[in-house]
Amino acid sequence: QVQLVESGGGLVHTGGSLRLSCAASGSIFSISTMGWYRQAPGKQRELVAIITSGGSTTYADSVKGRFTISRDNAKNTVYLQMNSLKPEDTAVYYCNLDLQIGPHVLDYWGQGTQVTVSS
């Protein structure tokens, strides 16, 4: 069983920055794809950024150039550095761990952390 614990959310003004952290338990972090997703009120959960075990990254168009995902395998932690924040970035941000081994899929979610950007 894997537990994901997010931290770092909060209230920030437009143009400000926040860094989210997600600490994972267990021993599969280093071989897993880690992702950040977000869900705004009344909207579906959407991908923000992912980073593979090899360090390849993918970003949503809406955050490219502003957000950076990174990982520290020694600390079992994934980060999301968010700069130039906009009110439309307001959402609950969720950490995800995804690992596929043959036909088996492991998929875990954190409890979420609120990010609020005031205009």
Side-chain angles (χ1 to χ4, degrees):
Q1 187 73 12
V2 172
Q3 290 187 325
L4 303 174
V5 179
E6 300 108 332
S7 61
L11 173 65
V12 65
H13 292 298
T14 296
S17 298
L18 284 174
R19 189 176 83 152
L20 305 183
S21 300
C22 172
S25 64
S27 60
I28 61 172
F29 178 87
S30 66
I31 60 173
S32 301
T33 292
M34 300 300 300
W36 287 98
Y37 293 73
R38 66 187 181 187
Q39 187 167 17
K43 295 188 177 181
Q44 291 188 329
R45 190 174 296 189
E46 64 176 2
L47 170 71
V48 176
I50 59 173
I51 183 167
T52 68
S53 58
S56 297
T57 58
T58 301
Y59 295 92
D61 287 344
S62 59
V63 307
K64 282 180 182 177
R66 300 188 298 121
F67 291 10
T68 302
I69 189 171
S70 61
R71 64 191 299 160
D72 185 338
N73 289 338
K75 296 182 178 179
N76 273 19
T77 300
V78 62
Y79 305 96
L80 185 68
Q81 178 66 45
M82 304 186 294
N83 299 328
S84 303
L85 283 161
K86 305 175 181 180
E88 51 263 44
D89 295 318
T90 295
V92 178
Y93 284 70
Y94 296 92
C95 177
N96 173 258
L97 181 150
D98 178 75
L99 177 62
Q100 294 183 313
I101 302 177
H104 304 290
V105 177
L106 300 178
D107 187 53
Y108 295 97
W109 293 89
Q111 80 288 352
T113 185
Q114 177 71 47
V115 171
T116 302
V117 184
S118 64
S119 56

